[in-house]
Amino acid sequence: MTVAIRVIPCLDVDAGRVVKGVNFEDLRDAGDPVELAHRYDRAGADELTFLDVTASSSNRDTTFDVVAQTAEEVFIPLTVGGGVRQISDVDRLLRFGADKASINTAAVARPQVIDEITSHFGSQVLVLSLDARRTHDASTPSGYEVTTHGGRKGTGIDAVAWAREAADRGVGEILLNSIDADGTKQGFDLAMIRAVRAAVKVPLIASGGAGEPAHFPPAVEAGADAVLAASVFHFGPVNAIAEVKKAIRDAGFPVR
């Protein structure tokens, strides 16, 4: 059975506002998260991802009140990440209206937390957010290094090996984001998508670099089960979601 490709707008939130930068830096305001969530729900988004982009780097919790307000406005699955460190954080997010939790920094620091969360809630609740950048370091044979703290810190960990380990530990999905492509609007890092796709069987969400509808079908062809973007939806045409779905459909892939 062929699974329909999901189109997912991403709300990167800092201090209660949606922001967008380039390569995770120089953030600029993109609007109110609740208003944007409502707009994307009506426009036909399949899911929404809400990432508190400075929660880990500032060592604070996710902005739960904004999550609650966003959840009240949308009737599609909502994934929330940023500052998720343990079972209690996931429990709280689910109580505030999230459908899935996304984890990055805390899982790199202590991979066992993946086992703990998925054993408690099930794999379908946990998304691994994997922020990777290109590297020439010989210790990362795939050529991609895992970063943490919103792309601010390198880890020396091979991204493909980490994706494989996280999948083995039980994550339900992997949100694969290219630090190098992020915000550039030049297209997804297709080589990175292919490398991770070859290593794992769990659903793969491609993120980072989309600037126009034509950029999305190649990511699907490279192995993505879902495509996530921010700039093209926040600052692009009003009907961007519909245009992206049409581009994917016209390329021969099923969409929702």
Side-chain angles (χ1 to χ4, degrees):
M1 178 175 139
T2 304
V3 178
I5 303 302
R6 291 166 288 150
V7 175
I8 308 173
C10 183
L11 307 179
D12 292 323
V13 179
D14 182 23
R17 297 287 294 179
V18 176
V19 295
K20 191 66 194 114
V22 177
N23 308 132
F24 280 35
E25 297 179 348
D26 301 324
L27 302 179
R28 63 169 168 150
D29 189 89
D32 177 75
V34 180
E35 290 178 7
L36 285 174
H38 186 56
R39 182 204 304 173
Y40 294 144
D41 189 11
R42 287 182 302 171
D46 299 306
E47 297 185 14
L48 274 177
T49 292
F50 176 115
L51 299 177
D52 192 325
V53 294
T54 57
S56 289
S57 60
S58 302
N59 195 31
R60 62 171 173 76
D61 292 334
T62 304
T63 313
F64 287 97
D65 57 333
V66 180
V67 172
Q69 293 173 46
T70 303
E72 288 177 2
E73 285 294 325
V74 301
F75 302 95
I76 53 179
L78 175 64
T79 298
V80 181
V84 174
R85 302 177 182 90
Q86 54 198 350
I87 286 176
S88 60
D89 296 326
V90 177
D91 183 65
R92 192 175 180 195
L93 282 176
L94 297 177
R95 292 176 185 275
F96 272 76
D99 297 281
K100 293 181 273 189
S102 173
I103 193 168
N104 178 359
T105 300
V108 174
R110 194 173 70 85
Q112 295 87 341
V113 72
I114 295 175
D115 308 63
E116 294 164 4
I117 292 171
T118 56
S119 294
H120 190 87
F121 297 103
S123 293
Q124 78 284 351
V125 163
L126 192 63
V127 178
L128 177 75
S129 184
L130 201 170
D131 297 334
R133 66 186 178 195
R134 291 175 179 265
T135 178
H136 298 293
D137 193 312
S139 65
T140 52
S142 74
Y144 295 97
E145 176 192 23
V146 175
T147 71
T148 60
H149 298 81
R152 292 168 177 81
K153 293 187 178 182
T155 64
I157 298 170
D158 186 271
V160 174
W162 173 230
R164 187 183 294 113
E165 178 182 348
D168 290 343
R169 287 182 179 275
V171 294
E173 292 182 285
I174 294 175
L175 168 54
L176 181 64
N177 189 48
S178 168
I179 299 293
D180 304 299
D182 176 73
T184 64
K185 303 181 185 178
Q186 299 300 304
F188 294 92
D189 188 329
L190 303 179
M192 185 168 71
I193 296 169
R194 291 190 192 99
V196 175
R197 173 77 290 160
V200 302
K201 290 185 168 59
V202 297
L204 190 60
I205 306 167
S207 170
E212 58 185 76
H215 287 153
F216 290 82
V220 176
E221 188 173 2
D225 301 280
V227 284
L228 178 145
S231 299
V232 69
F233 297 133
H234 300 340
F235 309 118
V238 174
N239 59 341
I241 291 175
E243 290 186 15
V244 167
K245 288 193 171 188
K246 182 179 186 302
I248 295 171
R249 190 181 297 110
D250 288 349
F253 301 104
V255 291
R256 292 190 178 181

